[in-house]
Amino acid sequence: FSVTNKQYLKNILNDIELTKEEKKYLLDSKIFDNINDDSVDKNKINISEFYLEDINGNEFSLNELKGKLLYIDIWASWCGPCRKQFPYAKDLKSKFSRKQLRKIAFIYISIDTDYEKWKESIKKFNLEEFQLISPADKPNNASSYFNVSSIPRYIIMDQGGNIIEQNAKRPSDESLF
């Protein structure tokens, strides 16, 4: 049979009981190289394809935040430049009105492998909003998914899950607002 686009294939794979890693492997494999995916937006991702966990140990998906603009901060407890940006992120949030903040979510994704150090950093720096972890030692971590080679890294996604900026400005950059 002939598959005309990857979205159709993704829909089929969602109906089959496979792990996330198996689905990703199939989608990335050369077997589908000849699929016409002109109708697929290259910047749109399925934001549930990588592992996230909240502070209570529950799995989390960014799909739960669809409909909001996402400003994603990928960081780690041991990263000095990451920690220096936290106060600027608070200042940035304070510039938005309440109405605007209902449409924006500030997401913090730690790549720590040490859960205790991650939680200590959250308390130490009084971090708010969505605090998530995607340990770098997990095979389907956010760092690999977004091809992060250095941190801090900021990503902006629109309300539909499209990446607007893969390497967004830091909160300390006045022009970000």
Side-chain angles (χ1 to χ4, degrees):
F1 78 102
S2 130
V3 178
T4 57
N5 76 42
K6 283 188 180 177
Q7 189 58 48
Y8 177 73
L9 176 63
K10 286 180 183 179
N11 291 341
I12 291 171
L13 290 177
N14 284 334
D15 292 336
I16 300 172
E17 284 194 34
L18 297 172
T19 66
K20 289 178 184 177
E21 291 86 2
E22 290 169 330
K23 288 178 186 179
K24 183 165 177 33
Y25 172 79
L26 285 172
L27 287 169
D28 291 343
S29 69
K30 294 196 181 294
I31 195 168
F32 301 118
D33 280 354
N34 294 325
I35 293 174
N36 174 7
D37 63 352
D38 293 339
S39 64
V40 178
D41 183 348
K42 303 279 193 244
N43 285 325
K44 187 161 188 160
I45 61 170
N46 181 345
I47 53 181
S48 66
E49 288 185 5
F50 55 90
Y51 182 81
L52 288 172
E53 187 178 319
D54 69 18
I55 195 134
N56 298 315
N58 301 312
E59 277 196 50
F60 187 86
S61 168
L62 292 183
N63 281 326
E64 295 178 36
L65 300 172
K66 272 197 174 173
K68 291 188 175 228
L69 181 77
L70 305 182
Y71 183 68
I72 301 169
D73 177 347
I74 299 180
W75 67 286
S77 63
W78 44 264
C79 171
C82 299
R83 295 191 310 259
K84 286 181 182 176
Q85 290 297 311
F86 294 146
Y88 293 104
K90 286 183 183 191
D91 290 343
L92 175 64
K93 283 190 273 189
S94 72
K95 293 179 181 180
F96 291 99
S97 70
R98 284 187 178 170
K99 184 177 179 180
Q100 289 171 318
L101 286 172
R102 283 193 291 268
K103 298 176 184 178
I104 302 170
F106 288 81
I107 311 299
Y108 297 86
I109 301 174
S110 171
I111 61 169
D112 277 286
T113 55
D114 185 328
Y115 282 70
E116 290 309 310
K117 287 187 179 183
W118 168 58
K119 290 178 181 180
E120 287 171 14
S121 292
I122 291 170
K123 286 180 186 173
K124 180 179 180 179
F125 296 101
N126 195 24
L127 301 178
E128 301 167 346
E129 297 249 6
F130 295 96
Q131 293 299 325
L132 305 167
I133 191 167
S134 187
D137 60 353
K138 292 243 183 218
N140 57 340
N141 63 66
S143 181
S144 295
Y145 194 83
F146 287 114
N147 296 316
V148 174
S149 58
S150 64
I151 54 175
R153 173 73 166 277
Y154 302 92
I155 299 163
I156 300 175
M157 296 178 72
D158 72 9
Q159 296 84 344
N162 299 300
I163 297 173
I164 296 172
E165 185 58 54
Q166 179 72 23
N167 197 13
K169 295 177 181 180
R170 293 178 178 203
S172 60
D173 187 324
E174 292 286 324
S175 66
L176 176 62
F177 180 74

